[in-house]
Amino acid sequence: MSSVSTSAPPTPPGSAPGTPGRPRPGLTLAVILTVQLMLVLDATIVNVALPIIHTTFGFTAADLSWVLNAYTLAFGGLLLLGGRLGDVLGYRRTFVAGLVIFIAGSILGGAALSGAWLIGARAVQGIGAAVAAPAALALLTRSQPEGPARNRALGLFTAVSSGGGSVGLLLGGLLTSWASWRWSFLINVPIGVAALVLGLRLLPTTQRRREPFDVPGALAASVGMIALVAGFVWLPEEGLSLRVITAFALAVLGLASLGLIERRASHPLFAFRLLKNPQRVTALISFMLIVGPQMAAFFFLVQYLQVAHGYGAFASGLAFLPLTLGIFGMSRLTPRLVNRFGPAAVSIAGAVLLIIGHLSFSRLGTDTGYWPWILLPMILLGVGGGLSFMPFSARILAGVPVGDSGAAAGLMQTAQQAGGVALGLAGLIAISGISSGSGAAVPVPELIMGMDRAFTAGAVFVGLSLVITIVSMIMTRPVRTPAEPAVEVVPEP
């Protein structure tokens, strides 16, 4: 099949390729991938340091969860806004602004002297990530030539986005064990400053649009998405409490208001026209169903390795290395498979491997050894994820107009965050019956039973994604009409 194009032409009207003499696109791609990895791994890098942070600041179990939730709320809740900011203000400008905010939050986190200070710093990091991440993806499509090169770049981007969580566990364990938990934040500073300096020199520029900004739409989208993420974050721990119900009600009110506002706005914040494409909608739903079980696997397997097998922080992160290598290894192969067989067919193969991996993990017991009953499913999750994520990204971003690149990037990353938080960290944890708090360790028998239920349900979610993808592929297959029989023409006498 022909290669999949995921963006508009590289030099659209209103953009400039940059100053003469800029280096090749490969270095530009390296800057974008480095920043994306930094933004994604910060969602998990402090996980293994939570017990030490708990002791340092005297957190309660409920308060300690906000070290993770503050970042998740700001990042997931503001992605739609961040994506549209890039469309209006210019992608390089918003990328740089988001990176500066993220670096400032990292400095504040490393220097935190109280629990409230640390939680506030995590929120600042999340705001910076929500502004920078959609712009990074939009810049990637602008800086890479259309065709196979762009597909390869997109494969690397999705590998970084999906594998960054496991990299965060490994790096967090390493820094916490060998240095201090504060370096989980401070390591972002030199990397971020270097990316900032290089980005100002390498990244393509885009002109700012001279149009009014949709402030009411921005407020409605921010309130609605933050409330929605908050509801799913609190749901596993509190059930249908007053706070959870209030959060969901506020989310419905905010998102419904967004729909009404956007219908009347002359320059709407959110491009609802992106959802008129059935292929994009089905790809978004399938993507969420794939991401949720993958994110939940991190939560359950870290607990299992530490509680049932006594792994330390660094050993727990190291145990995820096969999954990480599987994702990054497949990122080099998947674009070529997509170019040959198409994104739907490749994502189907990945979903089959993910189902087998989740079902294998549902069979873990108290005496299960790492080899082969943990290692092999880890590899299946890595390879299956590597086969799945890039094709879904290609389908979501295919045919996006030039002016909607940031909105489309924000929409895709919102789906990724919503799938991870709503289906993974809320839905599957609720199904498992295991508390998501950071208090005492879960008893091993309860953990095993909960994992059985959660991984089985995760396999069902991936199976639904598989069915949706197959149906979508059948519905969009070209219909061939039977050839009409040849008519013999007899010349007149």
Side-chain angles (χ1 to χ4, degrees):
M1 297 180 64
S2 60
S3 63
V4 179
S5 170
T6 60
S7 182
T11 311
S15 69
T19 56
R22 282 186 173 171
R24 296 186 303 271
L27 190 54
T28 303
L29 177 62
V31 172
I32 295 172
L33 294 178
T34 298
V35 172
Q36 179 67 10
L37 177 61
M38 187 169 61
L39 301 180
V40 172
L41 65 81
D42 252 67
T44 58
I45 194 171
V46 298
N47 283 39
V48 294
L50 288 179
I52 299 175
I53 294 174
H54 171 77
T55 303
T56 302
F57 295 119
F59 274 116
T60 64
D63 291 338
L64 187 62
S65 65
W66 277 102
V67 178
L68 303 177
N69 295 344
Y71 186 82
T72 302
L73 282 174
F75 190 10
L78 298 176
L79 273 169
L80 288 179
L81 174 60
R84 202 56 183 172
L85 282 174
D87 290 334
V88 175
L89 302 179
Y91 304 120
R92 189 175 73 159
R93 185 178 288 109
T94 51
F95 178 84
V96 169
L99 185 54
V100 169
I101 295 171
F102 183 83
I103 293 171
S106 299
I107 295 172
L108 290 172
L113 299 179
S114 68
W117 182 338
L118 180 62
I119 291 172
R122 289 288 283 169
V124 173
Q125 282 186 305
I127 293 171
V131 174
L137 182 53
L139 284 168
L140 180 145
T141 61
R142 297 265 182 139
S143 62
Q144 299 299 312
E146 196 169 351
R150 186 169 295 168
N151 287 339
R152 287 193 296 269
L154 186 59
L156 291 171
F157 186 89
T158 53
V160 164
S161 300
S162 55
S166 55
V167 173
L169 293 174
L170 178 59
L171 184 59
L174 179 66
L175 293 172
T176 302
S177 301
W178 292 4
S180 166
W181 65 266
R182 295 183 183 275
W183 277 101
S184 298
F185 296 90
L186 296 177
I187 194 173
N188 295 324
V189 179
I191 298 174
V193 170
L196 185 62
V197 173
L198 290 173
L200 288 171
R201 292 178 56 86
L202 302 176
L203 296 175
T205 58
T206 52
Q207 291 182 358
R208 178 174 180 172
R209 292 187 188 178
R210 302 300 177 183
E211 62 183 39
F213 190 74
D214 182 14
V215 175
L219 291 174
S222 301
V223 170
M225 288 304 302
I226 290 175
L228 182 66
V229 174
F232 280 119
V233 165
W234 293 327
L235 180 61
E237 188 68 22
E238 302 182 12
L240 292 177
S241 66
L242 178 61
R243 183 165 69 163
V244 172
I245 295 174
T246 302
F248 283 136
L250 189 59
V252 171
L253 179 62
L255 295 177
S257 300
L258 174 65
L260 295 175
I261 292 169
E262 299 305 276
R263 287 179 178 274
R264 300 180 179 181
S266 58
H267 297 87
L269 173 81
F270 182 69
F272 280 102
R273 55 188 171 272
L274 294 175
L275 299 179
K276 293 181 179 180
N277 185 326
Q279 279 291 301
R280 184 172 295 119
V281 173
T282 56
L284 283 166
I285 296 172
S286 299
F287 189 44
M288 293 175 63
L289 290 168
I290 289 281
V291 171
Q294 197 87 343
M295 291 298 294
F298 291 158
F299 172 84
F300 292 112
L301 292 174
V302 166
Q303 289 206 61
Y304 176 76
L305 292 171
Q306 293 184 348
V307 174
H309 291 278
Y311 281 35
F314 178 67
S316 298
L318 193 63
F320 281 86
L321 189 59
L323 188 152
T324 307
L325 293 177
I327 290 176
F328 282 94
M330 290 307 301
S331 70
R332 306 296 296 175
L333 179 60
T334 301
R336 282 179 278 179
L337 296 175
V338 168
N339 290 333
R340 182 170 182 180
F341 300 106
V346 176
S347 61
I348 287 171
V352 171
L353 295 181
L354 289 174
I355 291 172
I356 297 172
H358 286 295
L359 290 177
S360 299
F361 276 133
S362 71
R363 309 300 297 172
L364 293 179
T366 55
D367 56 349
T368 303
Y370 185 82
W371 169 264
W373 305 113
I374 299 176
L375 175 62
L376 292 182
M378 281 273 194
I379 295 173
L380 288 175
L381 290 191
V383 174
L387 284 171
S388 301
F389 294 137
M390 182 266 166
F392 282 125
S393 301
R395 292 173 61 198
I396 293 168
L397 299 176
V400 172
V402 173
D404 293 333
S405 298
L411 181 64
M412 188 186 83
Q413 291 170 325
T414 298
Q416 182 173 354
Q417 290 293 316
V421 174
L423 295 179
L425 299 182
L428 292 180
I429 291 176
I431 290 172
S432 74
I434 298 173
S435 170
S436 63
S438 303
V442 179
V444 174
E446 179 185 340
L447 177 63
I448 298 299
M449 292 179 61
M451 287 176 59
D452 183 6
R453 292 190 291 266
F455 279 112
T456 302
V460 172
F461 285 177
V462 179
L464 290 175
S465 174
L466 177 62
V467 171
I468 292 172
T469 302
I470 292 174
V471 171
S472 176
M473 187 170 64
I474 294 173
M475 295 294 291
T476 56
R477 182 175 296 172
V479 179
R480 296 183 178 181
T481 57
E484 295 182 1
V487 177
E488 182 180 0
V489 179
V490 181
E492 296 181 0

